[in-house]
Amino acid sequence: MQRGGEGRVFLLLQGPFSWFFTYLAAALRDAGADVHRVNFCPGDIMFWRGPNGTSYRGDPDDWPGYLERLIADRGITDIAGLGDGRRWHEDGYHVAREHGLRVHVIEQGYIRPHFLTVEPDGTGGRTRFPRDWAAIEALAKGSDMPEAPRFQTSFLKYAAMDVGYNLVNLLSSWLLFPRFRRHSLDHPLTEWSGWIWNRFRPHRRRHRMLAEAEARLKAHQGPVYVLPLQLDTDYQIRIHAPPGGVAGIIDRTVASFAAHAPPDALLVVKVHPLDHGWTDWRGHLAKRAGAAGCAARCVYFDGGDLEAMLQRASGTVVANSTVGLSALQAGSPVIALGTAIYDLEGLCYQGQLDEFWQNATQPDAARLDMFLRAIATSIHVPGGFDGTGAQPGARAMAAKMLAPPPY
């Protein structure tokens, strides 16, 4: 990496459950920057290898004052962390902005797979990405859509790192970080037990139900609308979606579909692939669809080929999932019920949900191409948080963080 980090002092907060932040710090140091890290729990320490690590064991209410002193003592110029929803980051970025620091919010890419995002100040519902097409065109000008990279990942290795991070917290945070509070809604044991049950439970009934759902979809002759579910623990649902979480989105969508969709339409509801399974979304859908009088026009998928569904869809309803961007690329009309970076005139339907079923139009292909080139050029880098994409992704992200802000 070319040097260009002289005089820059980075403070890294919490990152992914992997070695990615260790690699990122090394890349920033190779470019001449100084890097510090705050650890908030034993899991953070487990994945940090490098100098200048410090542990915060205080009360969350005292964190902003501690950070102000740390910024002054170490001459911090830049701050970075994974996402902007957890309290350590939300409060930390606020303090950083007050002191004139550059804020880098890191996330999985909007374009998937094998891309990562690093944005100034916020992602998702807090993005500063421009909303007007003249500014988007300026970002895209002269750029081509990058070729999709290919990195190898292992779900088993990712799961092992997730388990290791959370297990060391469960076993020792009560002693070493007694005031630490995890940011996720569900206890790790709840998630693990759900995933294990889903993995090892008898599959005959699940496969039969999936086959029945696929047969219904294949045989259906009318329009098809897709509702891909997100996770309640996702901050894009907790902060930037309508009230009521995933259940509320199902309820609102089913009620509107029953009252306003074409009578020969089918609503496909697909569970998130990382859902732990303890909430009976199939039963919830059946109850709501039965009460709305459209049970025969709704089908639930636990599995299946989402890309094929989007290719066929007459419309896709999301809160703010990146699936919405995949649907746009498939040519499906999209409505975003929450706040989404791609919810723009010419891409997503800008009216009300009740009108969407009858009036949705396909996205403007030229504007979609411009938007994709703009975000790919300005805030994306090829890479992954784990697997073979971790180290090249860290180097590319370090270069992006050292460059002038894209907007």
Side-chain angles (χ1 to χ4, degrees):
M1 178 185 293
Q2 290 184 332
R3 297 183 69 83
E6 290 84 357
R8 302 281 289 277
V9 184
F10 287 80
L11 179 65
L12 304 183
L13 304 182
Q14 288 191 302
F17 301 159
S18 73
W19 299 104
F20 184 81
F21 264 26
T22 289
Y23 301 149
L24 177 61
L28 289 168
R29 286 195 295 269
D30 287 347
D34 193 10
V35 184
H36 299 258
R37 167 70 184 260
V38 177
N39 298 304
F40 296 91
C41 63
D44 291 344
I45 295 175
M46 184 175 72
F47 283 118
W48 176 250
R49 294 293 182 272
N52 301 331
T54 187
S55 294
Y56 181 72
R57 296 182 170 87
D59 190 278
D61 291 338
D62 298 328
W63 159 240
Y66 176 90
L67 178 58
E68 287 188 327
R69 294 189 294 274
L70 193 65
I71 290 171
D73 291 345
R74 304 195 181 184
I76 305 297
T77 63
D78 297 70
I79 191 168
L82 179 66
D84 57 10
R86 60 189 75 180
R87 182 171 179 181
W88 308 113
H89 294 176
E90 190 170 29
D91 290 351
Y93 297 156
H94 179 72
V95 170
R97 293 185 195 101
E98 287 187 334
H99 287 264
L101 275 62
R102 279 186 61 181
V103 174
H104 310 268
V105 184
I106 294 165
E107 264 294 0
Q108 295 281 6
Y110 297 109
I111 303 171
R112 299 193 183 180
H114 308 308
F115 282 99
L116 301 174
T117 299
V118 54
E119 289 194 70
D121 290 338
T123 63
R126 290 174 174 159
T127 184
R128 285 181 45 217
F129 189 82
R131 306 295 299 171
D132 64 283
W133 283 107
I136 294 172
E137 183 178 14
L139 286 175
K141 187 176 182 179
S143 64
D144 294 323
M145 191 64 194
E147 184 177 347
R150 291 290 181 266
F151 300 112
Q152 294 180 347
T153 60
S154 167
F155 178 76
L156 289 179
K157 290 182 179 179
Y158 167 80
M161 289 188 288
D162 179 286
V163 170
Y165 180 93
N166 285 289
L167 189 60
V168 72
N169 287 341
L170 291 174
L171 295 176
S172 60
S173 62
W174 63 274
L175 177 63
L176 300 177
F177 292 82
R179 295 178 179 85
F180 171 71
R181 298 294 181 268
R182 62 181 178 274
H183 63 275
S184 60
L185 292 179
D186 299 312
H187 194 281
L189 294 179
T190 300
E191 293 190 347
W192 298 342
S193 59
W195 293 338
I196 292 170
W197 169 246
N198 286 332
R199 175 66 178 84
F200 293 107
R201 67 177 173 169
H203 290 297
R204 183 174 300 175
R205 181 171 181 268
R206 183 182 181 187
H207 288 169
R208 176 178 56 80
M209 297 176 77
L210 178 57
E212 291 172 353
E214 289 175 334
R216 284 188 62 190
L217 178 58
K218 183 178 181 180
H220 187 73
Q221 298 298 312
V224 172
Y225 296 90
V226 179
L227 172 62
L229 302 184
Q230 293 174 240
L231 300 174
D232 272 325
T233 196
D234 185 345
Y235 275 106
Q236 296 307 315
I237 292 292
R238 292 161 68 174
I239 299 176
H240 305 300
V246 173
I249 291 168
I250 294 175
D251 297 351
R252 178 180 173 186
T253 303
V254 168
S256 179
F257 175 82
H260 299 283
D264 61 340
L266 182 72
L267 179 64
V268 171
V269 179
K270 187 181 184 303
V271 73
H272 193 282
L274 293 181
D275 192 283
H276 52 57
W278 288 120
T279 301
D280 181 14
W281 295 124
R282 185 189 301 274
H284 185 91
L285 173 65
K287 182 178 179 180
R288 296 306 181 198
C294 63
R297 297 196 292 143
C298 296
V299 59
Y300 180 86
F301 274 79
D302 184 1
D305 186 348
L306 177 60
E307 290 302 318
M309 298 175 195
L310 298 177
Q311 289 288 342
R312 181 176 175 181
S314 300
T316 303
V317 181
V318 297
N320 41 35
S321 170
T322 56
V323 173
L325 192 53
S326 298
L328 292 172
Q329 292 174 274
S332 170
V334 173
I335 185 170
L337 304 183
T339 306
I341 189 174
Y342 52 80
D343 187 13
L344 298 166
E345 179 72 38
L347 299 187
C348 292
Y349 184 70
Q350 299 297 295
Q352 298 300 311
L353 179 60
D354 289 349
E355 304 162 351
F356 174 72
W357 314 104
Q358 302 281 351
N359 300 325
T361 57
Q362 289 185 310
D364 183 304
R367 284 192 167 184
L368 178 59
D369 175 71
M370 185 191 305
F371 174 81
L372 290 171
R373 287 187 290 115
I375 63 170
T377 300
S378 62
I379 57 176
H380 278 70
V381 297
F385 287 144
D386 58 90
T388 61
Q391 294 197 46
R395 290 192 294 270
M397 185 167 289
K400 184 75 75 173
M401 292 165 69
L402 291 167
Y407 46 79

